[in-house]
Amino acid sequence: MNYLIGDVQGCCGALDRLLAKIDFSPSRDRIYLLGDLVNRGPQSLQTLRRLRGFGDAAVCLLGNHDLNLLAVARGVRKPHKGDTLAEILDAPDREAWLDWLRGRRMAVFEHGWLMVHAGVVPQWDVAQTLQLAGEVEALLRSDRLADFLPHMYGDEPARWNESLAGKERARFVINVLTRTRFVAADGTLDLLTKDGADGAPPGFFPWYEAPGRATRGTPIAFGHWATLGLIDRPNLLALDTGCVWGRQLSAARIDGGGREIIQVECG
């Protein structure tokens, strides 16, 4: 069976309970983690150990909290007050964990589903999303990363343009794939508003409702947006159900004769 799982954020106890509930077997099943593997929860290092231990049976996407760990580890970003990354940063084998994290994916298209942490802009189809994600994945794994990390954060450029290049291009792609919630029809991002879907600023839409979205016919699964709660539509799954805030950790089975949502309480 294949399962999509929302934001774990270091809540390894909840992840273990969820995997037990679905009777997960790495020799038989595959899980897809939709990003934000670490941070804010109490067991970030244990979560990484658990996921890496599953080998190819666990496909892990990177979210904004995972990239934050890379930036903090390299000294280009100060930890936030609520960060819970010290156990990883102080581990004697921290470099091995950081290298493992750098090798994770930014977007995946398998079993008919496009999987991202946050969203896409209306102009990108599946092929372009995967191409741009691949550019960032190559950057994260390369020796260019140290030069890029100080430039990773920022809200500009705010709109997609095919001519974007270098650090600005990578920053925009990362912002879309790991931070976006609201977009305008022309692909302009609003990266400040964190409300639920009803809180869209004037002229903006939840990214999945943007007019003319090139991926509209493609099933998409994402996390990141805890204030949405669970969305379970034929072509859309929102699976960040606020585990780290004491709500639920959610999985969606996407094969085996129909879809099923499985949840465990987090507390």
Side-chain angles (χ1 to χ4, degrees), residues 185-265:
D186 66 356
T188 300
L189 307 180
D190 177 330
L191 295 172
L192 299 178
T193 307
K194 299 183 179 180
D195 298 336
D198 294 338
F204 286 81
F205 308 85
W207 67 264
Y208 51 86
E209 294 181 353
R213 177 165 62 87
T215 52
R216 184 166 298 279
T218 301
I220 299 183
F222 66 104
H224 182 61
W225 201 346
T227 52
L228 285 181
L230 176 69
I231 295 179
D232 180 10
R233 302 177 187 171
N235 283 345
L236 192 74
L237 279 168
L239 290 174
D240 182 1
T241 46
C243 179
V244 77
W245 308 114
R247 290 157 52 197
Q248 298 87 29
L249 182 64
S250 298
R253 179 175 55 80
I254 56 171
D255 55 10
R259 192 153 81 225
E260 178 185 7
I261 302 295
I262 306 99
Q263 295 182 310
V264 294
E265 296 297 320

Side-chain angles (χ1 to χ4, degrees), residues 5 9 14 38 51 63 87 123 152 183 189 213-214 223:
I5 298 178
Q9 292 198 236
V38 302
L51 293 173
E87 190 178 18
Q123 289 73 25
M152 182 168 66
V183 302
L189 307 180
R213 177 165 62 87

